[in-house]
Amino acid sequence: MIPFQAPLDDIFHSLRTFAGEVPGWDPELSQEVAGHFAAFAEGVLAPLNGPGDREGCRLENGRVRMPEGFGAAYAELAESGWQGLTAPEAFGGQELDHLTAAAVSEIFSGANHSLQMVTNLVPGAVSTLLVHGTPAQQETYIPKLASGAWLSTMCLTEAGAGSDLSRIRCRAVRDGESWRIEGQKIFISGGDQDLSEGILHLVLARTGAPEDGVKGLSLFLCPSDSDGVRNAITVTRIEEKLGLHASPTCQMEFDGASAELVGAEGRGLAAMFTMMNHARLDVSLQGVAHAARAYAIAAAYAAERRQGRQPDGSDAMLADHPDVQRMLAEQQDAARVARAMCHIALGELERGDAPALVEFLTPLCKIWCTEAGLRAADLGIQILGGYGYLEEYGVAQIWRDARITTIYEGANGIHCQTLASRGVRFAEGAAIEAFAALIARLAPEDAALAERSAAWQARARELAGLADVRVLAHDFAVATGALLADAIRVRLARG
């Protein structure tokens, strides 16, 4: 196994190049903070990645047990304040910017995606409470989340309601001043674990009639414990998965579980989107992390592996062969371009003055970056050959762990439809103009890209006027990603 090394310099070169001017962001301080986390990731988190994958999680007497070493690693993570990195100081957090958090998240995912999955829904939960929670809810839960005493989950999916949330049947009924939740949720990451004292489940449940669709859904805060008493929540199974073996994916029964409404009744999906949009950018960074890690392993292996002969008859290293060089170059490009896309979106998110562009870039990042991670992992297996197909070098685990990223937090095909429909129509087409302006900023003197951008704008406006774009959505998303990727490459070439 080639040891994990955080790509700190690559991350901050990208942030400085693509995030743009962000008020209050100190790149030097940010890199120093991320450097401390990188040392923790390399020394503590990464060494648990392979063993955790092999051991997996287990369900004992209705409670989930994490792999050996994960509890101590989480305790150190929480004690060092990483769980409250972006939470407000008033609630015990460090109130750092989301660019620093993005650097930490990428490093975390590259070192140990499974543990990152269990811990990294906390920032989204905090954001949801800040936007939609009452002062009392904020005071009750944010300090617990920021300190690491509690973790959080996002409970949406049901057996009959995956991508189509209008089919949710899990119900919430009033019980005096509070609510009771009845029903089943599946595919819940970190639905239970033995790392934190408690878990705050954010549950999307039906308060209206089934025929109301998504308008009958509300969002609830459902704590695992209250005053030392377990809530009426049971984990009935943990799934046997292709990858992410050290991240418990739970099937959960809510049997009259006590909960409280967050946000307005019937506006649950809108409230949940605060958490989901954070999660989608985080999944995009997971794709970047997988691409970077797969490239690092493949490049190190190819540089050391003797294979074949040079034209002059001398011994050749694997990296000397043109086809291997091609694959390594594709891996490296995948990581660089995907990382730049995320950093562009995060820079815009931090500035807050281009909401239409952020709305457009979020699904685009989810599509492009997760596909990049999967492609780079696949190339890594190919470069290592038979050894890549074994578990010994870690590339097979990267592929297995990365495979879910194109599926969860919205399947990529659905995000393609989002781009080609709501994306181009949002704010009367404001995203079209903003995206075209972004291409021009990245590649101001490239005539060929300007011509492609003009054609893209015409196509986007055409789609904005169509009632049904499903057949056209995939090709439009591919063309949109390719246009931005090429503009990024032009910017990278300028140094």
Side-chain angles (χ1 to χ4, degrees):
M1 172 69 76
I2 294 166
F4 173 77
Q5 186 173 1
L8 198 63
D9 290 341
D10 291 342
I11 291 170
F12 278 88
H13 178 267
S14 178
L15 279 169
R16 288 182 171 93
T17 303
F18 292 103
E21 293 293 329
V22 176
W25 182 56
D26 182 339
E28 284 70 32
L29 175 61
S30 181
Q31 186 160 357
E32 182 180 348
V33 171
H36 287 296
F37 187 82
F40 172 65
E42 292 166 0
V44 177
L45 300 177
L48 295 171
N49 192 42
D53 177 66
R54 291 187 292 272
E55 180 183 344
C57 302
R58 61 191 188 278
L59 187 62
E60 294 182 352
N61 301 318
R63 299 303 307 273
V64 172
R65 303 303 176 200
M66 297 291 285
E68 185 177 353
F70 275 56
Y74 179 73
E76 187 173 347
L77 181 86
E79 178 67 26
S80 299
W82 295 111
Q83 286 299 98
L85 193 65
T86 57
E89 287 186 11
F91 296 110
Q94 299 184 50
E95 205 164 337
L96 291 181
D97 57 275
H98 290 90
L99 299 183
T100 304
V104 168
S105 183
E106 181 188 332
I107 294 166
F108 200 158
S109 295
N112 194 318
H113 184 177
S114 285
L115 186 55
Q116 193 267 357
M117 274 290 298
V118 177
T119 64
N120 237 43
L121 284 173
V122 164
V126 170
S127 295
T128 301
L129 285 164
L130 289 172
V131 174
H132 303 285
T134 65
Q137 289 170 338
Q138 294 168 4
E139 289 283 351
T140 299
Y141 294 113
I142 295 180
K144 295 178 180 179
L145 295 170
S147 70
W150 282 41
L151 288 169
S152 62
T153 70
M154 182 166 57
C155 302
L156 284 78
T157 307
E158 298 177 11
S163 299
D164 184 2
L165 296 176
S166 68
R167 295 181 177 273
I168 282 178
R169 292 296 178 265
C170 184
R171 289 200 58 82
V173 295
R174 287 187 182 274
D175 181 23
E177 294 296 314
S178 62
W179 295 74
R180 297 282 175 182
I181 296 179
E182 298 270 358
Q184 183 187 87
K185 294 290 184 179
I186 66 170
F187 298 164
I188 308 305
S189 298
D192 189 38
Q193 32 74 16
D194 55 4
L195 305 177
S196 64
E197 297 171 12
I199 304 172
L200 180 63
H201 302 290
L202 275 74
V203 184
L204 198 60
R206 184 162 297 285
T207 51
E211 57 267 25
D212 293 337
V214 295
K215 294 181 180 179
L217 300 177
S218 303
L219 185 61
F220 294 89
L221 306 175
C222 189
S224 62
D225 302 79
S226 181
D227 297 325
V229 178
R230 294 286 294 173
N231 208 344
I233 306 168
T234 305
V235 175
T236 55
R237 63 176 289 169
I238 53 176
E239 305 295 346
E240 296 289 337
K241 309 189 297 295
L242 176 69
L244 294 179
H245 295 157
S247 174
T249 303
C250 301
Q251 178 175 299
M252 303 172 66
E253 291 286 346
F254 294 81
D255 188 17
S258 178
E260 53 186 297
L261 182 70
V262 59
E265 186 176 346
R267 295 284 297 162
L269 196 57
M272 184 61 91
F273 261 106
T274 303
M275 192 170 191
M276 289 167 66
N277 282 333
H278 172 274
R280 285 166 179 170
L281 285 173
D282 200 53
V283 171
S284 302
L285 288 165
Q286 291 169 1
V288 174
H290 288 308
R293 178 64 175 145
Y295 169 69
I297 293 174
Y301 180 87
E304 296 175 355
R305 170 75 165 168
R306 292 189 182 278
Q307 193 69 242
R309 301 275 179 183
Q310 298 277 26
D312 64 4
S314 61
D315 286 348
M317 308 306 290
L318 193 59
D320 292 328
H321 296 284
D323 192 54
V324 173
Q325 293 170 0
R326 172 190 63 80
M327 291 187 284
L328 288 168
E330 185 177 342
Q331 283 184 303
Q332 185 179 44
D333 177 76
R336 286 176 172 174
V337 170
R339 183 182 286 124
M341 283 190 184
C342 287
H343 291 168
I344 290 167
L346 287 159
E348 295 293 349
L349 184 64
E350 281 291 276
R351 281 186 290 276
D353 55 3
L357 183 57
V358 172
E359 188 79 13
F360 191 79
L361 288 175
T362 298
L364 183 61
C365 286
K366 168 61 168 66
I367 297 164
W368 190 273
C369 300
T370 57
E371 295 286 355
L374 196 56
R375 174 62 176 162
D378 190 66
L379 286 168
I381 293 172
Q382 188 69 24
I383 291 166
L384 270 68
Y387 287 108
Y389 196 64
L390 304 180
E391 294 292 345
E392 179 182 355
Y393 283 86
V395 190
Q397 184 188 343
I398 294 172
W399 188 90
R400 288 188 289 104
D401 289 350
R403 187 61 189 87
I404 189 62
T405 62
T406 64
I407 300 170
Y408 66 11
E409 299 307 333
N412 282 3
I414 292 173
H415 287 297
C416 290
Q417 292 186 43
T418 298
L419 275 178
S421 56
R422 188 170 71 240
V424 294
R425 298 178 194 137
F426 185 79
E428 299 182 345
I432 299 174
E433 298 295 332
F435 186 77
L438 171 62
I439 300 301
R441 288 199 305 274
L442 291 169
E445 299 177 1
D446 193 301
L449 270 180
E451 185 175 339
R452 283 173 59 191
S453 179
W456 177 87
Q457 291 176 69
R459 182 60 167 161
R461 292 192 181 95
E462 180 184 351
L463 291 178
L466 297 179
D468 186 357
V469 298
R470 290 174 297 169
V471 174
L472 308 170
H474 174 78
D475 288 348
F476 176 73
V478 170
T480 303
L483 179 60
L484 180 54
D486 284 344
I488 286 168
R489 293 182 184 111
V490 170
R491 178 63 186 87
L492 284 169
R494 294 208 311 265

